[in-house]
Amino acid sequence: MSIVVTGATGHLGRHVVEQLLEKVPAEQITAVVRDTAKAADLAARGVRIARADYNSPASFDGLFSAGDKVLLISGNEFDKGRVQQHKGVIDAAGAAGVALLAYTSAPGTLTAALADDHRGTEQLLLDSGVPYALLRNGWYHENYTENLAPVLEHDAVVAAAGEGRISSASRADYAAAAVAVLTGEGHENKTYELGGDTPWSFAEYAAELSRQTGREIAYQAVSVEALTSILTGAGLPEPVAQMLAGVDASIEKGELVVSTGDLSRLIGRPTTPLSEAVAAALKG
């Protein structure tokens, strides 16, 4: 039996593999990557490396074995038909008879276009008959803290979310939940709504940045159209800009507030506060 992680050299995948190495022998972990050179450090630590690409379903044939536990980390190529990309993995997992396929999805409350691929993938997984765990990850602290340059340049947090709140958590928190599911028992056919313990607003985020930098950083609420225009002006393709602005519209409606407590329960500790992620990002 192997624990197989797709997208293993991505931001979330690396956290998952690192945390798995603390819990199980390296030879029980398979890291699935597109570029094996990027996984050389993991191979050196005894992790099995497998090359496969979401855009080539045949590359997953024979990759899984009966009894494996698989983490399907959702793809980030929004323009390449992510549901079809994920289908190749689900089909291969079903053919092999894996014990569990966990999928990193989006909150069930999220109606923004970003969630469409996740709902489509969830339906494929449910229809496949493969034992599943839906890890409906909320928003990540890093979505904001890794993009501080324009905020600090203009002393402004710009969003189209009004007074909406977000239950974000760190990548390491979501990785810990995935590891708990992959190494634990009794997670078959379960859905987990995952988010941080304490929801926050953009005004509070700006206040936290002000506190930690000693500067006056304000929250500037704009319309969805204005944010789309700002993002395209910064070089993002129009569809991606519209999708991100659409998430802000969902935030204003409260769709990224997750109050289940599933994340802290799974990881056995409180989730990482936003203030800690801000401090780490400012240290750089």
Side-chain angles (χ1 to χ4, degrees):
M1 191 278 286
S2 191
I3 295 175
V4 186
V5 180
T6 71
T9 51
H11 289 304
L12 180 62
R14 275 208 169 267
H15 276 290
V16 172
V17 174
E18 288 291 344
Q19 293 187 39
L20 280 172
L21 284 165
E22 295 171 9
K23 298 218 165 184
V24 299
E27 59 268 19
Q28 288 182 18
I29 305 168
T30 299
V32 182
V33 298
R34 279 196 294 200
D35 182 353
T36 54
K38 289 184 180 172
D41 60 315
L42 299 177
R45 293 164 70 183
V47 174
R48 178 175 167 247
I49 308 299
R51 191 190 171 287
D53 187 329
Y54 289 157
N55 295 308
S56 173
S59 64
F60 285 91
D61 291 349
L63 197 150
F64 307 120
S65 301
D68 282 354
K69 290 184 177 180
V70 178
L71 177 63
L72 169 54
I73 294 180
S74 56
N76 59 7
E77 296 175 313
F78 301 106
D79 58 337
K80 294 220 175 141
R82 291 195 297 169
V83 177
Q84 280 304 115
Q85 286 184 330
H86 300 154
K87 184 177 187 298
V89 181
I90 293 167
D91 288 349
V98 304
L100 181 73
L101 194 153
Y103 171 65
T104 62
S105 192
T109 48
L110 185 64
T111 62
L114 180 73
D116 293 348
D117 289 346
H118 292 300
R119 298 290 95 84
T121 300
E122 287 186 4
Q123 194 57 55
L124 278 180
L125 188 47
L126 267 58
D127 292 345
S128 73
V130 174
Y132 66 86
L134 299 181
L135 306 178
R136 288 180 170 168
N137 290 354
W139 227 221
Y140 295 62
H141 291 331
E142 290 88 348
N143 290 347
Y144 301 103
T145 60
E146 287 183 352
N147 295 291
L148 284 179
V151 173
L152 299 176
E153 183 184 342
H154 300 288
D155 284 335
V157 171
V158 179
E163 296 175 10
R165 303 176 82 77
I166 309 169
S167 303
S168 67
S170 70
R171 276 198 196 106
D173 292 341
Y174 292 113
V179 168
V181 166
L182 293 167
T183 59
E185 298 298 328
H187 299 290
E188 294 82 5
N189 305 330
K190 296 279 179 66
T191 298
Y192 297 105
E193 297 285 350
L194 304 175
D197 296 334
T198 308
W200 51 270
S201 68
F202 281 100
E204 289 167 338
Y205 176 51
E208 183 61 34
L209 285 168
S210 299
R211 186 181 73 78
Q212 293 202 30
T213 60
R215 292 156 61 170
E216 194 58 47
I217 296 174
Y219 169 41
Q220 186 180 339
V222 298
S223 68
V224 168
E225 292 74 23
L227 183 61
T228 303
S229 184
I230 289 166
L231 294 173
T232 52
L236 283 182
E238 179 92 19
V240 176
Q242 287 175 342
M243 189 168 60
L244 292 176
V247 169
D248 274 19
S250 287
I251 291 169
E252 184 167 23
K253 296 181 207 160
E255 294 178 5
L256 277 177
V257 172
V258 179
S259 53
T260 60
D262 284 353
L263 182 52
S264 51
R265 259 197 306 278
L266 273 176
I267 66 182
R269 59 169 172 78
T271 60
T272 305
L274 178 66
S275 58
E276 274 186 34
V278 168
L282 290 172
K283 270 186 207 152

